[in-house]
Amino acid sequence: MRWNLTVLLFVISFSCFSQDPYLFIGTYTSGKSKGIYVYRFNTKTGTGTEVSIMEAKNPSYLSLSSDGKHLYATDEEDYEGAVGAYAFEPTTGKLALLNSQSSKGTCPCYVSEDKTGKWVFVANYCSGSLTALPVNTDGSLAPAMQIIQQFGKGSDTARQKMAHVHSTIFAPDEKFLLVADLGTDQEHVYAFHPNENIPLTEPFDSVASLKPGSGPRHIAFHPYKSNVYIISELTGSVDAFHFDTTSGKMTHFQRIRTTPEHFKGDPGSADIHIRGDGKFLYATNRGTSNTIAVFEIHKDGRLTANQIISVKGKHPRNFAIDPSNHFLLVANRDTDNIVIFSIDPITGLLKATGKEISIPNPVCLKFLAN
């Protein structure tokens, strides 16, 4: 009875989302892309309309402030990288550059801001570090206040010669920041203190180790349960953990493939998200797979793979579920297209709508609901 009521309310929510949300698209600018593209996305027709373009250099990952007034973008360089701060005007749909600060590392590939609007955290992939930058009252960034260098290596001699920090993601209550290290097969958990000058400390017994050679990349928290799911780039797998919201300790309970059992190529797994009702998990694979996997999430948190389909392009680096939970958009970097899938409200399965957004080298998608 409870399941049926949940599904009914979720279906009703499809028709209750009124105003078209903004869609922000981060890109690599080594080709024809100009920077950050701003679109309106129609949640009834599944189509996008360009609103504005902000010129920027390699804005490969984006983060929106909780109030929607500011956007932060990495400048992913193999020398010292940077993070740009932008003001967003919702009436015009335009971005304005506030300032830029050094990420104090190389190849910054992930950025996130806390809900208090006091801090921005950056993952520096090539240098294996994470950086905390204070946010000024106008949304601009102050110089870095904390830099944490990771050390170690993994079993993959080609990809894991050193630490490679790949994401900085908050737990839902923001008491902890989770940091995936692809190079050492570890997920670090830091206690977050927003009112301190040095905001992060690493509690005792707060490092989760994955199977050697996994290469953890991104994570997704369940919206209603104390579970967290980690996607690993090198092995094409998702690891499920119970997350202790008091201590930050993670306890492993499942590992599942994101590709079929017969697949022997390079999975290159990239991104992971859970639908708003907590019933389904989605994960992309790049490499030689170029697919997206759909998992059902059971009441105990365990996953079952229900679908693995083509993304209709190459190198699906990032994807996003629109605020109505009706569509899933996949950014295919190497084919210059964002492919739009419809989501079945009952089964969670995906179906290509035949609609696309053409953007040079798209790599990051972020929605802003109105």
Side-chain angles (χ1 to χ4, degrees):
M1 182 63 179
R2 182 178 295 178
W3 173 274
N4 292 336
L5 179 60
T6 301
V7 171
L8 176 61
L9 292 173
F10 191 69
V11 172
I12 291 174
S13 72
F14 285 163
S15 60
C16 293
F17 194 88
S18 55
Q19 195 170 5
D20 293 345
Y22 280 108
L23 171 64
F24 298 85
I25 304 167
T27 66
Y28 281 122
T29 55
S30 55
K32 297 180 179 180
S33 174
K34 296 180 180 179
I36 304 169
Y37 293 75
V38 182
Y39 271 64
R40 280 281 196 182
F41 184 76
N42 189 312
T43 58
K44 294 181 179 179
T45 64
T47 56
T49 303
E50 183 180 304
V51 177
S52 66
I53 302 173
M54 167 54 66
E55 292 192 9
K57 191 173 183 180
N58 285 336
S60 65
Y61 203 85
L62 312 175
S63 177
L64 283 163
S65 62
S66 57
D67 61 7
K69 294 180 179 180
H70 300 98
L71 180 140
Y72 302 94
T74 57
D75 175 1
E76 188 174 338
E77 303 291 344
D78 54 10
Y79 49 89
E80 187 167 326
V83 183
Y86 300 84
F88 179 65
E89 176 49 65
T91 58
T92 62
K94 293 184 178 181
L95 292 164
L97 178 65
L98 296 174
N99 75 334
S100 178
Q101 291 286 358
S102 169
S103 70
K104 298 298 181 180
T106 52
C107 311
C109 63
Y110 200 99
V111 60
S112 55
E113 187 196 30
D114 76 303
K115 292 177 183 176
T116 70
K118 294 180 178 180
W119 293 95
V120 160
F121 295 91
V122 186
N124 294 304
Y125 178 81
C126 293
S127 55
S129 62
L130 62 142
T131 305
L133 298 96
V135 179
N136 298 317
T137 55
D138 65 350
S140 63
L141 294 171
M145 288 293 291
Q146 185 177 14
I147 304 165
I148 299 176
Q149 179 66 52
Q150 306 286 22
F151 297 95
K153 60 182 179 180
S155 62
D156 188 322
T157 56
R159 294 291 308 278
Q160 296 181 311
K161 295 179 180 179
M162 60 176 291
H164 291 299
V165 176
H166 219 310
S167 59
T168 52
I169 300 174
F170 281 103
D173 61 6
E174 296 203 343
K175 292 181 180 178
F176 298 97
L177 182 76
L178 278 70
V179 177
D181 189 335
L182 182 146
T184 64
D185 296 317
Q186 291 182 322
E187 188 77 32
H188 293 258
V189 182
Y190 293 90
F192 175 51
H193 314 285
N195 296 320
E196 302 292 332
N197 289 330
I198 303 299
L200 298 179
T201 58
E202 192 162 14
F204 176 75
D205 198 23
S206 62
V207 178
S209 296
L210 282 75
K211 184 178 179 180
S214 293
R217 182 182 173 95
H218 287 182
I219 69 170
F221 274 92
H222 194 279
Y224 309 121
K225 304 174 188 280
S226 296
N227 296 331
V228 62
Y229 301 87
I230 303 175
I231 189 166
S232 289
E233 178 176 337
L234 305 182
T235 54
S237 55
V238 173
D239 285 273
F241 290 81
H242 294 300
F243 183 77
D244 188 317
T245 57
T246 300
S247 67
K249 183 176 181 180
M250 299 170 63
T251 306
H252 189 269
F253 66 89
Q254 187 189 15
R255 182 180 177 89
I256 189 170
R257 292 175 59 113
T258 60
T259 56
E261 291 294 331
H262 59 78
F263 179 77
K264 303 299 181 184
D266 170 25
S269 299
D271 204 12
I272 183 169
H273 295 288
I274 296 174
R275 199 173 74 171
D277 62 349
K279 303 294 183 184
F280 301 98
L281 180 147
Y282 302 85
T284 48
N285 301 300
R286 300 167 301 170
T288 56
S289 178
N290 295 303
T291 56
I292 184 166
V294 181
F295 299 90
E296 181 178 355
I297 305 175
H298 298 283
K299 292 182 178 180
D300 63 356
R302 298 180 71 85
L303 304 176
T304 299
N306 287 351
Q307 184 185 35
I308 301 174
I309 63 171
S310 169
V311 295
K312 307 293 183 180
K314 292 184 179 181
H315 202 92
R317 186 180 176 94
N318 181 235
F319 71 95
I321 299 171
D322 84 290
S324 75
N325 289 288
H326 199 176
F327 295 98
L328 186 150
L329 285 67
V330 180
N332 293 315
R333 187 194 70 183
D334 293 352
T335 45
D336 301 333
N337 64 335
I338 298 170
V339 178
I340 301 167
F341 294 86
S342 62
I343 306 174
D344 188 285
I346 308 300
T347 66
L349 299 182
L350 300 177
K351 182 179 180 181
T353 64
K355 300 170 183 176
E356 299 183 0
I357 298 173
S358 295
I359 294 285
N361 302 124
V363 290
C364 185
L365 306 177
K366 292 291 181 180
F367 276 104
L368 174 64
N370 296 288

